[in-house]
Amino acid sequence: QQEAASLAKLENQNKNTEGNLQALQIANQLSAENIKQLQALKHVLALQANAQTAYASYQVSKDSYENKLLIS
């Protein structure tokens, strides 16, 4: 919601720009918002990778334990 509101505000400001400087400032703000979103996405992807690694490790440990039980 907040991201959509921020983007809508910037788009509205862009429609009412007066001069190149203001247009450049708005473009910089949009770039900054994009960077924030990319950083958040990078964080989520890192968390997902960690979760998948932990799950795979759990599966290997579980399989190893079950194999030991079958052999014993």
Side-chain angles (χ1 to χ4, degrees), residues 24-44:
L24 288 172
Q25 289 171 333
I26 291 169
N28 285 339
Q29 289 175 333
L30 284 170
S31 293
E33 287 295 321
N34 284 339
I35 290 169
K36 287 179 189 176
Q37 290 179 356
L38 288 171
Q39 288 172 333
L41 180 59
K42 181 179 174 182
H43 179 72
V44 169

Side-chain angles (χ1 to χ4, degrees), residues 2-69:
Q2 181 182 355
E3 293 171 356
S6 294
L7 185 56
K9 179 183 172 187
L10 291 172
E11 286 174 342
N12 189 41
Q13 287 175 344
N14 191 39
K15 290 177 186 174
N16 300 317
T17 58
E18 296 176 11
N20 291 335
L21 179 59
Q22 190 174 8
L24 288 172
Q25 289 171 333
I26 291 169
N28 285 339
Q29 289 175 333
L30 284 170
S31 293
E33 287 295 321
N34 284 339
I35 290 169
K36 287 179 189 176
Q37 290 179 356
L38 288 171
Q39 288 172 333
L41 180 59
K42 181 179 174 182
H43 179 72
V44 169
L45 290 174
L47 291 175
Q48 181 184 11
N50 287 342
Q52 288 173 328
T53 300
Y55 180 75
S57 177
Y58 161 77
Q59 285 296 111
V60 168
S61 295
K62 179 182 161 196
D63 291 346
S64 177
Y65 176 75
E66 289 173 352
N67 286 338
K68 279 186 180 180
L69 289 178

